[in-house]
């Protein structure tokens, strides 16, 4: 499944006080791309995964935590999430971001 987007706010609006996601590509056992829309202050709690991933900030601003260390992302910034390390994401502004999961690695 591949989804084409021409307008992020139409495809996945940022809702007050909420986090939403929309899978864009899902190749079982391989690559998965998920678009997220998060209002300021929303977060995804620390967790870990058995595969590497990355976060790409598209709009707004994010704080990304990996193994207890926080990094601030602006639009266009990307941060790797190594496998098996705890990680989390917090929106510092209303934001869109892309999660890339490399499940085959």
């Amino acid at each position: 499944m591949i989804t084409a987007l021409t307008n992020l706010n139409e495809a996945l609006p940022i809702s007050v006080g909420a986090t939403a996601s929309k899978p864009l590509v899902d190749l079982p056992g391989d690559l998965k791309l998920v678009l997220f829309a998060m209002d300021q202050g929303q977060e995804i709690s620390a967790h870990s995964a058995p595969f590497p991933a990355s976060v790409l900030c598209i709009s707004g601003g994010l704080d990304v935590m990996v193994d207890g260390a926080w990094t601030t992302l602006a639009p266009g910034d990307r941060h790797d999430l190594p496998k098996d390390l705890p990680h989390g994401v917090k929106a510092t502004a209303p934001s869109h971001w892309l999660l890339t999961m490399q499940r085959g690695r």
Side-chain angles (χ1 to χ4, degrees):
M1 171 187 86
I2 297 178
T3 302
L5 299 178
T6 56
N7 184 312
L8 287 177
N9 287 320
E10 287 178 9
L12 190 63
I14 296 170
S15 298
V16 175
T19 297
S21 64
K22 178 182 184 104
L24 302 178
V25 174
D26 191 355
L27 305 173
D30 195 7
L31 180 71
K32 184 170 186 178
L33 302 176
V34 181
L35 176 65
F36 281 83
M38 293 176 76
D39 194 17
Q40 181 174 353
Q42 295 299 299
E43 66 182 290
I44 296 174
S45 300
H47 61 282
S48 60
F51 44 78
S54 66
V55 169
L56 172 66
C57 182
I58 299 170
S59 68
L62 302 170
D63 284 338
V64 177
M65 184 277 297
V66 175
D67 203 22
W70 288 91
T71 301
T72 298
L73 302 184
D77 292 341
R78 184 181 69 83
H79 193 63
D80 291 329
L81 308 174
K83 72 177 189 171
D84 299 324
L85 289 181
H87 56 269
V89 178
K90 182 174 182 178
T92 57
S95 303
H96 281 103
W97 56 280
L98 183 67
L99 174 65
T100 301
M101 294 178 266
Q102 301 169 18
R103 297 178 295 191
R105 298 188 182 172

